[in-house]
Amino acid sequence: MSGLDNWYSINYKPGQKNSDIDFSVAFHLTKPASQLTFREAADYTARKIKENYSNIWLAMSGGMDSEVVANALHRNFVPFTPVILKEQTREHWWALRWCEERDITPVIIEPTKEAIAYIMQKSKDLDLRLSPWPFLLYLKHYVERQGG
């Protein structure tokens, strides 16, 4: 798996168990990287995403990470669909509020028995406990079925 313009690569392949790999990152810079502020880097990345993708879905948990990404996409006029998985901790309220304040309609997924079974099986398959990855894999599965 590699980043934009192959500037880095990692040895993780989707579906691998954490315990099956000795994680590593390799950087392939051919020239010095530009120094950007965090906001400049986020804006640059949002614009690159807009150039390369047309049907963008963003999983929003209500946490700061997804909100920072949503802000960068929104600030750079990148159209995207927020997708929110309702969960028991109610942290998703912050994601709902973010969307409401910007008049953006999110896709809200209520966990079904099928979703919970999928998430639990992925947790078991990937040796992950208390991790967001199985939830994100479920959202990825959902978005792919929607053509995203």
Side-chain angles (χ1 to χ4, degrees):
M1 185 178 291
S2 63
L4 180 66
D5 299 329
N6 198 36
W7 72 272
Y8 81 94
S9 60
I10 60 175
N11 65 332
Y12 175 78
K13 293 176 183 60
Q16 278 184 308
K17 291 183 179 183
N18 286 345
S19 59
D20 289 346
I21 61 170
D22 185 19
F23 184 76
S24 67
V25 177
F27 293 96
H28 314 289
L29 298 174
T30 57
K31 61 182 179 182
S34 301
Q35 287 198 355
L36 303 172
T37 66
F38 183 85
R39 184 180 177 120
E40 289 168 338
D43 289 344
Y44 171 81
T45 303
R47 290 188 300 271
K48 292 301 273 185
I49 288 169
K50 185 177 184 179
E51 286 175 17
N52 292 299
Y53 301 96
S54 59
N55 190 8
I56 302 164
W57 293 61
L58 176 63
M60 294 189 70
S61 64
M64 288 302 299
D65 295 352
S66 56
E67 188 169 315
V68 166
V69 174
N71 282 330
L73 294 174
H74 189 257
R75 186 171 57 244
N76 287 279
F77 307 101
V78 179
F80 69 98
T81 303
V83 59
I84 300 168
L85 179 66
K86 284 184 138 181
E87 34 73 29
Q88 296 300 314
T89 66
R90 305 251 185 237
E91 186 173 298
H92 66 273
W93 177 86
W94 293 98
L96 293 170
R97 185 178 114 176
W98 186 95
C99 292
E100 184 178 304
E101 288 174 348
R102 289 154 185 85
D103 199 28
I104 296 173
T105 303
V107 171
I108 301 169
I109 300 173
E110 302 242 8
T112 61
K113 286 182 181 178
E114 174 197 76
I116 292 168
Y118 181 94
I119 290 165
M120 296 302 288
Q121 187 60 50
K122 285 295 180 185
S123 295
K124 184 179 176 187
D125 292 348
L126 299 174
D127 270 345
L128 299 171
R129 280 195 225 162
L130 301 174
S131 165
W133 287 109
F135 294 93
L136 293 174
L137 289 171
Y138 176 75
L139 292 178
K140 176 182 178 288
H141 176 69
Y142 174 87
V143 168
E144 286 173 346
R145 290 187 314 202
Q146 308 307 310

